[in-house]
Amino acid sequence: MRLFRYLSKYFEGPAAQRLAESESRFQAYVGIASDWYFEIDKDLRYSFMSKGILAARGTSPEDILGKTHAEALGELARHPTQQSYIEALERRAGIKDMLLCRARPGKPELWARISAQPIFDANNVFAGYRGVTSDVTDRILAETALKESETRLDGFFAAAPIGMAIFDNQRRYLKVNNTIADWNGIAIEDHIGKKLDDIFPAYERSENVDFARILETGEAVLDMEIVATLPSRPDEE
């Protein structure tokens, strides 16, 4: 890179050999890394891009060198995350784990996490950036799918006309719906973390679902009828 080319002019003999070996090791690590590394010059144009971007994005480093980030991405640079990155570069700010999205019309989004450190010379004059970028598309898409699934579950729970609950392996409530809360005469939040025995003191003495057997065998219990008295209706079975 630029630093190696600059220093190599001032080293001779063993020192030059050690410098060359160090540069060779660095280039080898950069070449096999799944992340891609970059340098930006004082004019905010890419002056170095490792080949990791070719594997991750199908983009050749040569297609980026000499361009600003906005020029390299074209229309894709309009995404709010890209604009935030460009603004940070223009402020000469340090960048840590910023998420960038490439939203391509008609194609899946691509997400990357980027960190970059501004470089200043001996006179404290801005000289550019060094940074690293990682592809995090799979993680972002998985998190998005999980949030969508949780939203659907919450909606299903809230709208269900039947009592629904989720327990942990200690029979503690993790989640209940409004129907269960109304039956028990206890607020939803007052269920969470409590055991069935806390809500129904007589639970242990009644004929009930064998939670231990369900956890041991992994087999579901279906269509089991239980006769009980609800806290909200103590005079009814």
Side-chain angles (χ1 to χ4, degrees):
M1 294 195 304
R2 290 181 301 164
L3 181 60
F4 170 74
R5 291 194 296 268
Y6 174 79
L7 292 176
S8 61
K9 296 185 295 183
Y10 298 94
F11 286 85
E12 296 180 355
Q17 183 178 352
R18 289 196 300 272
L19 178 62
E21 291 173 350
S22 177
E23 171 68 8
S24 177
R25 284 195 300 271
F26 174 75
Q27 292 291 352
Y29 290 138
V30 167
I32 63 176
S34 57
D35 301 338
W36 57 99
Y37 300 83
F38 63 87
E39 286 186 351
I40 294 174
D41 65 20
K42 61 183 179 61
D43 297 318
L44 300 182
R45 296 184 178 277
Y46 285 105
S47 57
F48 170 79
M49 180 68 66
S50 71
K51 295 181 179 179
I53 193 172
L54 183 60
R57 292 287 184 266
T59 301
S60 171
E62 289 72 23
D63 294 334
I64 296 176
L65 297 181
K67 297 179 181 178
T68 65
H69 190 74
E71 292 170 347
L73 264 68
E75 292 294 320
L76 300 181
R78 294 185 177 183
H79 193 276
T81 61
Q82 303 288 349
Q83 288 297 306
S84 295
Y85 173 62
I86 292 171
E87 290 170 4
L89 293 178
E90 292 173 345
R91 296 196 313 269
R92 311 319 193 225
I95 299 165
K96 178 67 174 178
D97 294 333
M98 181 180 286
L99 290 176
L100 302 182
C101 178
R102 293 181 64 183
R104 305 166 299 168
K107 296 181 179 180
E109 291 180 345
L110 297 176
W111 286 86
R113 183 178 63 238
I114 190 166
S115 296
Q117 182 67 37
I119 306 167
F120 297 89
D121 64 17
N123 298 317
N124 203 32
V125 176
F126 175 74
Y129 276 93
R130 290 193 184 98
V132 60
T133 310
S134 305
D135 185 289
V136 293
T137 300
D138 290 344
R139 179 173 67 82
I140 295 297
L141 294 182
E143 290 176 352
T144 300
L146 177 60
K147 290 179 181 178
E148 292 175 350
S149 177
E150 290 176 340
T151 299
R152 288 196 298 270
L153 177 62
D154 289 342
F156 181 62
F157 254 68
I162 60 174
M164 300 184 69
I166 297 176
F167 301 90
D168 66 11
N169 60 6
Q170 300 298 315
R171 294 186 315 206
R172 291 186 294 254
Y173 285 99
L174 295 176
K175 190 178 185 69
V176 300
N177 67 353
N178 287 319
T179 303
I180 286 281
D182 291 343
W183 285 351
N184 295 342
I186 300 172
I188 290 177
E189 57 269 21
D190 292 333
H191 281 76
I192 309 306
K194 291 186 173 66
K195 292 186 176 183
L196 272 169
D197 309 347
D198 300 325
I199 304 298
F200 299 103
Y203 176 83
E204 289 290 0
R205 299 189 299 274
S206 66
E207 181 181 353
N208 53 67
V209 177
D210 189 348
F211 276 81
R213 184 175 181 278
I214 294 173
L215 290 170
E216 181 181 349
T217 65
E219 296 178 359
V221 173
L222 305 176
D223 299 326
M224 181 178 182
E225 294 186 0
I226 298 175
V227 178
T229 300
L230 298 175
S232 62
R233 287 176 283 178
D235 297 329
E236 300 178 22
E237 285 189 343

